[in-house]
Amino acid sequence: MTTRSLLQLTVILLLCGSRPGNAQEIYAGRYKAVFTAAPQKVPTAKTPDGPLAGNGDIGLTLGGNPDNLCFYLGKNDFWRAYPVYPGGGIALPGWLELNISALKGADYYAEQVQDKAFIKGEFTKNDLKVIMDAWVSATANTVVASFTATKACTLKALLKATKGNTSVNTSGTTQGIHWVTRSFQNTPLLEWPCHVAMALKVLGAEQQNDGSITLKPNQKVTLVVTIYTNQDNPGWKQKAITTALATTQSTLVQLREQHEAWWKDFWGRSNVRIGDLFIEKYYYASQYLFGATSRGNKFAPGIWGPFVTRDSSAWGGDYHLNYNYQAPYWAAYSSNYIDQTDNFDQPLLDYMEKGKAHAKALLGMKGIYYPVGIGPKGLVTTRWPLTPDEMEKRYATRENTIDGGYKFLGQKINAVFSVGNMLMRFYSTYDRAYALKIYPYVLECANFWEDYLKFENGRYVIYNDHYGEVMPNLRNKGVWRNMLGDFNSTLSLGLVKMLFKGVVDLSTFLNADAGRLEKWQHIVKHLSDFTVGEVNGKLSLKSVEKSPSPWHSGINGLARVSIHGLILPGGVCGPETDSAFNQVLLNDVSRWKERMKAPGEWANTLGNGIETCFPAAVRVGYDADEILKQLKDRITVQSLPNLWITAEGGGTETLAAVPLTINEMLLQSYEQVIRIFPNWNKNKDASFDQLRAYGAFLVSSKQEKGEILFVKMRSEAGRTCTIRNPWPGKSVQLFRNGRKAEILTGKTFAFGTKAGEKLELQKAG
């Protein structure tokens, strides 16, 4: 970051006010993204760089210049349900085009205001200034944009639906409401129809037949767009029109109040204060963008969330199951945004019958076996091209029947990968209803791996589940089978160990399948060890025990893919589980710096993995100050003006990077032991409120002048709390609901709790 950028940031922070004293107040309101030039990456097949607003279902991306603004309107449930890649995936409903010819050549200024989730714009040319305020209702399928001009000018508003890619489009006007529709239906192989309707109402002025509206001096004109799909309502088109017709200035006031109340509640769920303005800015921006991307009672977001700005988004904008789909949620559990994750499981549950069919037909196994990419409602998005000619064009081979025509890419872990998220939520809540919901899925994963594992020489081993994707492509000229044959991949071993530890815990919690516990526990105990080698006299992790790949056969140390199995989401390694093996991983992290050629390259995350490698380094105990330094360099090298940290291989996954890294520095519990400030510089003041720990505890604490002042907790599920003593070597006074209770001693101690009980730990005396 340049000196000028730092000065601009300081000014913005000062103008936004001082820090609230109450933990429930909107601390994040200090931060906003500022734009002094029109977006350059709108539209795009990946992450746009313009101002963003959303409600977890509808996404608004601002593009264009002042004289030709464009509101791109994305929606998480609008898909072309076509199974072959490319061609299917999430689609763009359309956009609202706003032409103000008097602003040609005007100065551009916009803000992404995150505490109340709206976009502010000011576009100035000589004595004409047009002020814009745009937001996506947090509680309705409604987008609102208001315009006020200092002198008379003409605004032309045109609502357009995207055309092409086999869609059917219609448009019309009903009682002054202009509407457009886009539909995917009656196309060969389409797995289900999808329709969207958008309706435009103008308040505060008359709109002419050509879309023109006169902006009078200092008089506000408001444009309202209502958006519904057939997933929202079977009468999707009429619903959009009637909702627009019923919208008035009075109903908009109510919507705005509900909108701001929703976001105030969102920001009150948790907060952190670490005295680092740069990191805090991206912490809260990432939380905002996740809140705008995912809503628990709606369709789950794909790789780009609802911020699609064109058809044919990269990778179809689908649910990529070998980490891209899972990663955006990883910070939500500890950040206490549990309800935002409600949408995660449904696509996985919907695919179970197909997954069983794949396992039986392709491998002769029980359980479920998933391809790399799926969508909602049982959709597969990653079938190979249907003709040998198309296959040869894209993948340099005419063989389009590999694995029955589906892209598994040599990996068996696509189904079990998502168990990591399910277990994170289960351990964070101990919610019985949720455990019952996911148990059938976890059980089918266990069925598959019980069948697939081989017991040889006293240990369970894994053949032919590959550390990386193995497939024909133009680079290898369609020659790929020579790379098959990985044996005991760290990715596979870690995720399978996570699975069986988790199914044991779920089974015990639900009192289900008790007769299978002995076998599952035997697998956990006798699964092969992770393979290590020696580098310069120190042990280092190997990616696989054996592989035909020369690279994967080497001693490459801890990296993104192995982290997925061992640490995140695997959670089967760490300082509590095995301190000696954790030291091996810590030594590997210390070598990341040796491989850098330029700032921002630490952990090799410019392509993928910022949300994986940085929190993993925290968990194994690498120096916190060095992690933060490297994180700042990485953000500076590759992030957008809207504060979205980007990666070449994905979009929404990066939203977990900063929040999860900081949360893990302040609070850890993934090994069922709560640790307060486990990896934070003792000489730096910091505090956090209502971060969520395993065991269903909401935890708050503060460190000041090298001393932890208190630990406050609320027990949601009444479980035993196991915690590392925050004051090593000292006795600890426990308070229950404000009253003195036990004195606790030891390096780690445990005590019982009751559901709803408020607890506080203080150093005794």
Side-chain angles (χ1 to χ4, degrees):
M1 176 170 276
T2 64
T3 303
R4 180 180 179 183
S5 298
L6 285 169
L7 289 171
Q8 290 173 334
L9 171 61
T10 303
V11 170
I12 291 167
L13 292 169
L14 291 172
L15 290 174
C16 289
S18 59
R19 176 179 301 169
N22 189 322
Q24 297 299 316
E25 293 178 356
I26 302 174
Y27 175 67
R30 292 158 47 111
Y31 300 121
K32 57 187 176 183
V34 174
F35 305 77
T36 57
Q40 302 299 303
K41 295 181 179 180
V42 180
T44 178
K46 293 187 176 182
T47 305
D49 64 344
L52 304 174
N55 67 3
D57 176 35
I58 297 168
L60 167 61
T61 304
L62 179 60
N65 295 303
D67 61 318
N68 189 24
L69 297 172
C70 192
F71 289 166
Y72 291 88
L73 303 170
K75 205 165 187 302
N76 279 341
D77 63 1
F78 187 61
W79 287 66
R80 184 173 188 261
Y82 185 70
V84 179
Y85 178 82
I90 198 163
L92 175 66
W95 61 89
L96 178 63
E97 195 172 289
L98 302 165
N99 300 305
I100 308 175
S101 58
L103 287 177
K104 187 173 181 62
D107 293 335
Y108 186 102
Y109 180 85
E111 295 177 359
Q112 180 178 282
V113 183
Q114 291 158 183
D115 61 337
K116 297 183 178 179
F118 70 92
I119 300 170
K120 176 184 177 182
E122 292 185 4
F123 312 107
T124 307
K125 183 178 180 181
N126 301 324
D127 58 348
L128 172 62
K129 176 184 288 188
V130 176
I131 298 174
M132 178 199 76
D133 176 279
W135 47 286
V136 181
S137 169
T139 58
N141 289 34
T142 302
V143 178
V144 183
S146 299
F147 293 84
T148 306
T150 55
K151 59 183 290 188
C153 61
T154 299
L155 180 155
K156 190 173 184 179
L158 301 172
L159 184 62
K160 297 183 177 181
T162 310
K163 297 181 179 180
N165 201 18
T166 74
S167 69
V168 176
N169 299 72
T170 66
S171 61
T173 302
T174 301
Q175 296 179 248
I177 302 296
H178 180 61
W179 53 265
V180 296
T181 73
R182 188 182 192 200
S183 298
F184 295 107
Q185 58 187 353
N186 303 325
T187 300
L189 294 181
L190 207 67
E191 297 200 7
W192 33 269
C194 200
H195 312 278
V196 66
M198 300 182 290
L200 171 65
K201 184 172 186 177
V202 179
L203 297 171
E206 294 292 328
Q207 185 176 24
Q208 304 303 311
N209 291 336
D210 67 349
S212 296
I213 303 165
T214 299
L215 297 181
K216 297 179 181 179
N218 303 313
Q219 290 188 9
K220 183 167 69 173
V221 172
T222 301
L223 309 179
V224 179
V225 179
T226 55
I227 310 174
Y228 285 86
T229 68
N230 59 317
Q231 322 298 338
D232 295 314
N233 192 291
W236 48 279
K237 176 182 169 183
Q238 192 59 37
K239 181 67 173 176
I241 295 170
T242 55
T243 304
L245 279 168
T247 302
T248 65
Q249 293 288 7
S250 177
T251 61
L252 283 184
V253 170
Q254 295 175 357
L255 269 188
R256 185 68 176 240
E257 290 174 352
Q258 294 167 3
H259 172 82
E260 293 186 5
W262 191 95
W263 281 98
K264 183 177 182 180
D265 175 74
F266 177 86
W267 291 120
R269 302 289 181 85
S270 65
N271 66 70
V272 305
R273 295 172 296 279
I274 60 172
D276 187 317
L277 295 179
F278 183 91
I279 293 294
E280 286 181 359
K281 178 176 74 165
Y282 281 92
Y283 182 99
Y284 285 107
S286 295
Q287 302 283 43
Y288 165 74
L289 292 169
F290 179 75
T293 294
S294 178
R295 195 61 45 92
N297 61 347
K298 299 292 185 178
F299 276 40
I303 293 176
W304 316 109
F307 301 108
V308 294
T309 53
R310 50 169 279 190
D311 271 3
S312 303
S313 294
W315 297 285
D318 73 354
Y319 305 152
H320 245 55
L321 298 183
N322 55 359
Y323 105 94
N324 306 82
Y325 178 58
Q326 297 87 352
Y329 296 89
W330 288 344
Y333 307 106
S334 58
S335 296
N336 197 25
Y337 294 135
I338 296 296
D339 56 331
Q340 299 298 107
T341 72
D342 279 345
N343 53 25
F344 174 79
D345 310 293
Q346 198 59 51
L348 302 159
L349 301 178
D350 288 344
Y351 202 81
M352 282 181 65
E353 290 308 312
K354 289 185 177 179
K356 290 178 185 178
H358 295 325
K360 183 178 181 180
L362 300 175
L363 298 174
M365 299 286 169
K366 296 182 298 183
I368 52 178
Y369 176 39
Y370 281 23
V372 69
I374 66 171
K377 300 176 68 172
L379 173 68
V380 63
T381 59
T382 48
R383 285 183 61 179
W384 296 107
L386 297 177
T387 68
D389 287 346
E390 185 67 16
M391 186 74 184
E392 185 173 34
K393 176 182 177 182
R394 294 188 175 278
Y395 300 104
T397 179
R398 297 184 64 79
E399 186 182 3
N400 65 336
T401 57
I402 302 165
D403 293 327
Y406 296 84
K407 288 187 178 181
F408 292 90
L409 309 186
Q411 295 184 316
K412 311 298 188 299
I413 47 79
N414 290 316
V416 74
F417 211 121
S418 293
V419 172
N421 287 47
M422 295 174 179
L423 292 175
M424 286 182 194
R425 175 165 174 171
F426 168 65
Y427 293 136
S428 298
T429 63
Y430 281 88
D431 180 337
R432 182 174 178 82
Y434 181 73
L436 288 169
K437 176 183 177 182
I438 63 167
Y439 186 67
Y441 182 93
V442 178
L443 186 62
E444 291 297 344
C445 286
N447 289 339
F448 177 88
W449 284 97
E450 268 193 77
D451 238 7
Y452 193 81
L453 289 169
K454 303 296 182 186
F455 192 63
E456 297 177 350
N457 301 317
R459 64 173 183 159
Y460 290 94
V461 298
I462 300 176
Y463 288 93
N464 293 314
D465 188 22
H466 293 83
Y467 183 83
E469 297 175 347
V470 184
M471 60 180 285
N473 54 46
L474 297 178
R475 291 191 303 276
N476 61 31
K477 299 180 181 179
V479 177
W480 60 285
R481 280 192 170 84
N482 61 319
M483 300 306 293
L484 294 173
D486 281 3
F487 176 72
N488 278 346
S489 156
T490 53
L491 173 65
S492 312
L493 290 172
L495 291 179
V496 171
K497 190 168 189 176
M498 170 201 75
L499 166 67
F500 283 103
K501 289 179 70 175
V503 77
V504 166
D505 291 339
L506 282 166
S507 170
T508 304
F509 179 73
L510 295 173
N511 193 24
D513 296 300
R516 301 182 66 179
L517 283 174
E518 184 177 355
K519 176 62 180 290
W520 294 338
Q521 290 167 337
H522 189 266
I523 291 173
V524 172
K525 184 176 180 180
H526 295 280
L527 198 64
S528 294
D529 292 333
F530 307 115
T531 308
V532 297
E534 192 171 297
V535 176
N536 298 327
K538 290 186 177 181
L539 293 178
S540 180
L541 187 69
K542 290 188 68 177
S543 302
V544 295
E545 188 171 328
K546 291 187 293 185
S547 174
S549 165
W551 170 254
H552 290 156
S553 296
I555 306 173
N556 298 317
L558 185 67
R560 174 178 62 89
V561 176
S562 49
I563 287 170
H564 289 154
L566 306 185
I567 301 172
L568 186 69
V572 295
C573 298
E576 302 288 334
T577 303
D578 185 338
S579 59
F581 185 66
N582 188 76
Q583 185 61 49
V584 174
L585 304 182
L586 180 57
N587 291 339
D588 281 344
V589 171
S590 69
R591 283 192 281 270
W592 288 353
K593 203 170 180 181
E594 299 171 6
R595 302 174 183 178
M596 293 175 58
K597 296 181 180 179
E601 293 184 356
W602 192 71
N604 191 31
T605 66
L606 293 174
N608 299 90
I610 183 174
E611 71 298 312
T612 302
C613 295
F614 282 87
V618 175
R619 283 192 175 186
V620 301
Y622 192 65
D623 182 76
D625 288 344
E626 183 64 25
I627 293 171
L628 291 178
K629 175 186 179 300
Q630 298 295 345
L631 183 58
K632 290 178 184 179
D633 286 347
R634 167 61 177 82
I635 292 169
T636 302
V637 167
Q638 198 165 291
S639 59
L640 299 176
N642 55 27
L643 307 182
W644 196 309
I645 304 165
T646 55
E648 292 303 317
T652 54
E653 67 211 51
T654 64
L655 302 181
V658 178
L660 187 58
T661 299
I662 299 305
N663 290 356
E664 291 288 331
M665 286 181 169
L666 306 180
L667 173 71
Q668 289 178 20
S669 61
Y670 69 99
E671 293 174 289
Q672 307 298 334
V673 177
I674 295 175
R675 301 179 289 281
I676 308 298
F677 296 104
N679 193 357
W680 185 256
N681 187 328
K682 300 301 181 185
N683 296 316
K684 291 185 177 180
D685 294 351
S687 64
F688 60 90
D689 298 287
Q690 297 191 133
L691 293 183
R692 182 174 285 273
Y694 283 8
F697 297 100
L698 293 177
V699 185
S700 305
S701 187
K702 184 175 184 178
Q703 176 178 288
E704 191 173 87
K705 297 179 181 178
E707 178 84 3
I708 295 175
L709 302 185
F710 59 83
V711 179
K712 296 180 180 180
M713 293 188 286
R714 183 164 69 87
S715 173
E716 286 189 338
R719 295 186 63 81
T720 297
C721 177
T722 302
I723 185 169
R724 176 69 57 83
N725 192 337
W727 299 277
K730 305 293 183 181
S731 297
V732 176
Q733 176 69 62
L734 172 64
F735 292 80
R736 296 180 182 271
N737 294 321
R739 296 183 177 181
K740 280 188 177 182
E742 304 98 301
I743 294 290
L744 306 169
T745 59
K747 181 180 179 181
T748 301
F749 43 75
F751 53 90
T753 73
K754 296 179 180 179
E757 190 173 25
K758 294 182 179 179
L759 308 153
E760 183 170 354
L761 302 176
Q762 293 182 8
K763 186 167 63 173

